[in-house]
Amino acid sequence: MLYLAEVQKQKGGLLSGSSKTELKLLACQRTDQNWSTVSEEVIAAEEASKLNDGALVLVELTPNRQVQRIQEAGRPLVNILQNFSRQLEKYKLKEDEIDQWKESLTFQAQELNRREMDMEVRLEQLHEMEDEFQRLEAQKQEVDTSREQIEQLQAEVERNRQELEGAWEHLRGEQRRLEERLQEGNVLDATQSQAMSELLDRLSSRIAPTETVREHLRVAVELIEKQQATLNPHWQNLEEQKTLVHQKQEEADKLAQTYSDRQNSCKQAQDSLQQQTAQLKVNTNSLIAKEEHIRFVREQLQSQDTLYQQINFLAASSGNAVPSQKLDVQALENMPLDELQKIVQDLIDKLGIDSSFVHDQEQELTYKQQTIEELQQKINQASGQDLANLQLELSDERDLYQMLNQTLVGQRRNLLARQKLIQQHQNVLLRRQGQPVPTTEDDNSVDFSPILQQIETQRQKQSQELQQLEREIEQMRSAIELDQGMIDNQTHDLQEKQQELKTIESDLLSLKTATAECWGRINLYQEALQPIQDCVDELRHKLQGIGESLAQIQETGDYQLQTITEIRQTISSFISQPELLAS
């Protein structure tokens, strides 16, 4: 199991001259991305004696708590922190997306609540209209009943008028016959006088009375006026509704103009955003070309570094590049043989630890190279924001590779120096043991310094070119980030304008719908009121005609009574018998 530990060294006494190295366990890896703290356990680990006190390492322990492998924790911790940073960025993007969804759902819920309230208001208005229509229908029935009564009254008046005209015609006939007989000189006898008097009495009694009809007419007029008084508030309400709907129509027209202006502004902002996005794409493509060029330069520089390291390693292997350490051979000659053997064995053990550590670092360097190659393959297939992220990750991995590679150069050199020191100690030990000492052929060594100097000069030149390219790329990235920030701000503003435009559009649609509904209610209201008003006006006109007819009938009856009186007086002047005059 893999643990994060801290190297702790305990110095020995002055006499022993040795030190004890331990590892203090701090955390344990549960999964690839999950670490948990552990109880502060300390285990002995002489394998970490070459490390400094307080250094952080990654150590693999066997189930029986034995050290299996030790690795410096610097680079792995950097990788873990980088992965953690990327995860935080992803979580931040997800949180922003969730917040946007929450805002959208909140807006939709508010819009649904508003529409639900509008539907409730409209439903209540519909119920009020139904009640109003029922009242108007009842009033219409009352008007129809009044019209029937007026028609009956008018029919009765017409019958009385016809009867009166018949009696009046009969009276005229009798008057003509009377005048004819008077002209002939005939004098009325008692029987004729009696018959004439009876006829005049009958004619007087046939004059139609108008008081009852006038009373019915007055009641009908009052009923019509009451109906009109009931209709007047409805007409007033209709006018108020018309005024209100005209105001809504003006508001809808203003809102439509605002919608058109905002739509034009949104279109201009969208065109500007498209132009800036196109320019950003051009700059991004230019940056990609620069990065491709810098990648090529880095690959060349990396190849030169590899060549330099190989030649340097070859020179070091030949003994030219590794500086010889000053060795006190006399002290080794005077040292007890057992102590010399122990020193040689300690040097060999430490060399083994260093060799294992260098081997682990070289494996990690190989893994880094594989990671770089995998990222390069992904970059060849990626585009857009993924491409930029992968390029940034590739740049970080290359920097890590370069740092680790430079570290390994010194570690290899130190490893060769240790090997040469061990060889010197072994030569002294073999000589003291009486064994033959192997000879080294230094005369056959090759001088690699001119080649190394030429490679170093070329490396410096390409490093300067690389630094210049990196500065240009950094400037381009800064400009692109600035442009991207402006585009993001404009995109946010455009989204707000589009959202505001949708809100205005929704309000405009609701206002137009409400205006259309108001016009529908007004038209329906007017269609219901107008027939009733027409019927009331028609009945009023008929009642006025009936009143005028009653006035004529009254005038005619008075004239008939006056005429009958005159006939009586005329007949009385021609009657010779006093008893006829009395009759």
Side-chain angles (χ1 to χ4, degrees):
M1 185 174 289
L2 188 62
Y3 288 86
L4 176 65
E6 180 184 0
V7 177
Q8 293 182 347
K9 291 187 177 181
Q10 297 180 1
K11 300 295 182 179
L14 296 175
L15 297 177
S16 63
S18 61
S19 61
K20 182 180 179 182
T21 304
E22 296 178 341
L23 294 179
K24 180 181 179 182
L25 302 182
L26 302 177
C28 176
Q29 184 183 24
R30 303 299 182 186
T31 61
D32 291 340
Q33 302 294 334
N34 187 10
W35 290 76
S36 60
T37 58
V38 296
S39 59
E40 295 183 357
E41 180 181 357
V42 178
I43 60 175
E46 292 298 329
E47 296 84 349
S49 60
K50 61 183 178 60
L51 300 175
N52 296 327
D53 186 20
L56 294 178
V57 296
L58 292 177
V59 55
E60 290 185 3
L61 299 180
T62 60
N64 56 359
R65 317 301 284 177
Q66 296 295 323
V67 176
Q68 186 175 1
R69 180 172 175 267
I70 295 179
Q71 179 185 358
E72 286 187 355
R75 300 314 307 168
L77 282 179
V78 172
N79 294 334
I80 292 172
L81 291 176
Q82 287 179 346
N83 293 331
F84 180 71
S85 178
R86 294 190 187 100
Q87 292 294 330
L88 285 180
E89 291 178 357
K90 291 181 180 179
Y91 291 151
K92 180 63 176 177
L93 293 176
K94 291 294 184 183
E95 288 179 357
D96 294 339
E97 186 177 355
I98 291 173
D99 292 336
Q100 292 177 0
W101 276 104
K102 286 182 178 179
E103 292 178 0
S104 177
L105 291 176
T106 302
F107 176 77
Q108 293 178 5
Q110 292 176 354
E111 185 67 18
L112 288 176
N113 292 331
R114 187 181 64 82
R115 293 187 178 181
E116 185 178 359
M117 293 177 63
D118 291 341
M119 292 297 295
E120 291 178 355
V121 172
R122 292 173 185 174
L123 184 62
E124 184 178 356
Q125 292 177 351
L126 183 60
H127 289 322
E128 292 178 356
M129 289 179 62
E130 290 178 354
D131 296 338
E132 190 68 25
F133 287 154
Q134 291 178 359
R135 289 194 297 271
L136 290 176
E137 187 66 25
Q139 293 179 3
K140 185 177 180 182
Q141 292 178 359
E142 293 179 359
V143 171
D144 292 337
T145 303
S146 300
R147 181 165 57 183
E148 292 177 359
Q149 294 177 357
I150 292 173
E151 289 177 353
Q152 293 176 1
L153 182 61
Q154 188 175 7
E156 183 179 356
V157 171
E158 184 65 23
R159 287 195 301 270
N160 292 332
R161 186 181 64 79
Q162 291 177 358
E163 291 178 358
L164 184 60
E165 288 181 353
W168 183 247
E169 187 64 28
H170 182 71
L171 179 60
R172 286 198 183 102
E174 292 296 331
Q175 184 178 5
R176 284 195 301 272
R177 286 193 297 271
L178 179 60
E179 291 177 350
E180 290 176 355
R181 296 187 67 178
L182 290 175
Q183 290 177 359
E184 292 176 357
N186 296 327
V187 179
L188 293 176
D189 54 9
T191 303
Q192 293 176 345
S193 177
Q194 183 67 33
M196 185 65 69
S197 297
E198 291 177 359
L199 185 60
L200 291 174
D201 292 335
R202 289 176 55 191
L203 185 59
S204 299
S205 63
R206 295 299 296 177
I207 295 179
T210 59
E211 288 76 9
T212 303
V213 177
R214 287 184 182 277
E215 183 63 24
H216 288 300
L217 181 61
R218 184 185 63 79
V219 173
V221 170
E222 290 179 355
L223 182 60
I224 291 297
E225 294 301 328
K226 185 183 297 184
Q227 294 292 333
Q228 185 63 50
T230 304
L231 290 176
N232 288 335
H234 295 291
W235 284 111
Q236 185 177 0
N237 186 21
L238 182 62
E239 293 299 325
E240 292 177 355
Q241 291 293 329
K242 285 183 178 181
T243 303
L244 180 62
V245 79
H246 282 304
Q247 294 176 355
K248 287 187 177 181
Q249 186 65 46
E250 292 178 357
E251 184 179 355
D253 294 338
K254 292 181 180 178
L255 192 59
Q257 183 62 37
T258 303
Y259 176 76
S260 178
D261 296 340
R262 297 293 174 83
Q263 194 174 23
N264 294 332
S265 176
C266 186
K267 182 65 169 58
Q268 293 176 0
Q270 189 173 5
D271 294 340
S272 176
L273 181 61
Q274 290 177 354
Q275 293 177 0
Q276 293 188 3
T277 304
Q279 184 63 36
L280 178 63
K281 188 175 181 181
V282 172
N283 296 336
T284 303
N285 292 332
S286 178
L287 176 62
I288 293 173
K290 287 279 187 182
E291 289 177 345
E292 184 66 22
H293 181 57
I294 200 174
R295 183 186 65 81
F296 177 72
V297 173
R298 283 176 177 173
E299 289 178 354
Q300 286 186 341
L301 190 59
Q302 183 178 357
S303 299
Q304 291 180 1
D305 289 337
T306 304
L307 180 61
Y308 181 84
Q309 292 165 10
Q310 291 176 354
I311 295 175
N312 193 15
F313 181 76
L314 184 60
S317 299
S318 64
N320 292 335
V322 179
S324 299
Q325 298 183 8
K326 293 182 179 181
L327 185 66
D328 190 358
V329 179
Q330 187 63 35
L332 295 178
E333 291 289 346
N334 299 328
M335 186 181 297
L337 187 61
D338 294 339
E339 186 176 351
L340 180 59
Q341 289 178 348
K342 185 176 183 306
I343 291 174
V344 171
Q345 187 62 40
D346 291 341
L347 289 175
I348 293 174
D349 293 340
K350 289 184 179 181
L351 180 63
I353 295 174
D354 293 341
S355 299
S356 176
F357 180 74
V358 171
H359 179 68
D360 293 340
Q361 295 290 342
E362 289 177 346
Q363 284 186 348
E364 185 177 356
L365 188 66
T366 304
Y367 295 152
K368 288 292 181 184
Q369 182 63 34
Q370 293 176 358
T371 303
I372 291 174
E373 293 176 356
E374 291 176 357
L375 288 174
Q376 188 62 48
Q377 292 177 359
K378 291 181 180 179
I379 287 175
N380 296 333
Q381 299 176 355
S383 62
Q385 187 63 32
D386 293 336
L387 178 61
N389 295 333
L390 288 174
Q391 287 176 348
L392 183 60
E393 187 175 356
L394 179 62
S395 178
D396 295 338
E397 292 295 336
R398 283 176 175 171
D399 292 340
L400 294 175
Y401 179 87
Q402 187 69 21
M403 293 173 59
L404 184 60
N405 195 10
Q406 292 176 358
T407 303
L408 278 176
V409 172
Q411 291 177 355
R412 292 192 189 102
R413 187 179 293 110
N414 294 331
L415 191 62
L416 292 174
R418 285 178 179 271
Q419 289 176 353
K420 193 170 183 179
L421 181 63
I422 291 174
Q423 184 66 38
Q424 292 175 355
H425 281 76
Q426 286 178 342
N427 291 337
V428 174
L429 179 62
L430 290 174
R431 187 166 53 251
R432 292 187 60 183
Q433 291 177 348
Q435 298 181 8
V437 178
T439 59
T440 58
E441 299 179 356
D442 294 337
D443 297 337
N444 296 330
S445 61
V446 181
D447 187 10
F448 293 98
S449 58
I451 300 175
L452 293 174
Q453 184 65 30
Q454 185 178 0
I455 295 175
E456 182 64 24
T457 303
Q458 188 67 23
R459 284 175 59 195
Q460 290 179 359
K461 182 179 179 181
Q462 289 189 348
S463 296
Q464 292 176 359
E465 182 182 359
L466 182 62
Q467 290 177 0
Q468 179 64 25
L469 288 173
E470 287 177 347
R471 285 194 296 270
E472 293 178 358
I473 288 177
E474 186 64 28
Q475 293 175 359
M476 293 181 67
R477 283 179 178 172
S478 299
I480 288 175
E481 288 179 359
L482 182 60
D483 294 339
Q484 185 65 47
M486 294 177 62
I487 289 176
D488 292 339
N489 292 332
Q490 290 185 1
T491 303
H492 181 69
D493 294 340
L494 180 60
Q495 290 176 353
E496 289 183 349
K497 289 182 179 180
Q498 290 176 347
Q499 187 64 38
E500 184 182 4
L501 192 64
K502 289 181 180 179
T503 304
I504 294 175
E505 183 180 6
S506 177
D507 294 340
L508 180 60
L509 181 60
S510 300
L511 189 57
K512 285 184 177 180
T513 303
T515 304
E517 291 177 354
C518 288
W519 276 118
R521 290 196 300 268
I522 288 173
N523 293 332
L524 186 62
Y525 203 11
Q526 188 169 2
E527 289 176 359
L529 284 176
Q530 193 61 47
I532 299 175
Q533 184 64 49
D534 295 340
C535 183
V536 170
D537 294 339
E538 182 182 359
L539 292 177
R540 184 184 291 108
H541 180 69
K542 288 183 177 181
L543 289 176
Q544 289 176 356
I546 293 173
E548 293 176 355
S549 299
L550 284 176
Q552 292 178 359
I553 291 172
Q554 183 65 40
E555 183 180 356
T556 303
D558 294 339
Y559 178 72
Q560 288 177 354
L561 291 175
Q562 183 179 0
T563 303
I564 290 171
T565 303
E566 292 177 353
I567 291 173
R568 285 182 182 275
Q569 293 176 358
T570 303
I571 292 173
S572 298
S573 63
F574 286 100
I575 294 176
S576 57
Q577 296 87 351
E579 60 276 7
L580 292 177
L581 182 58
S583 63

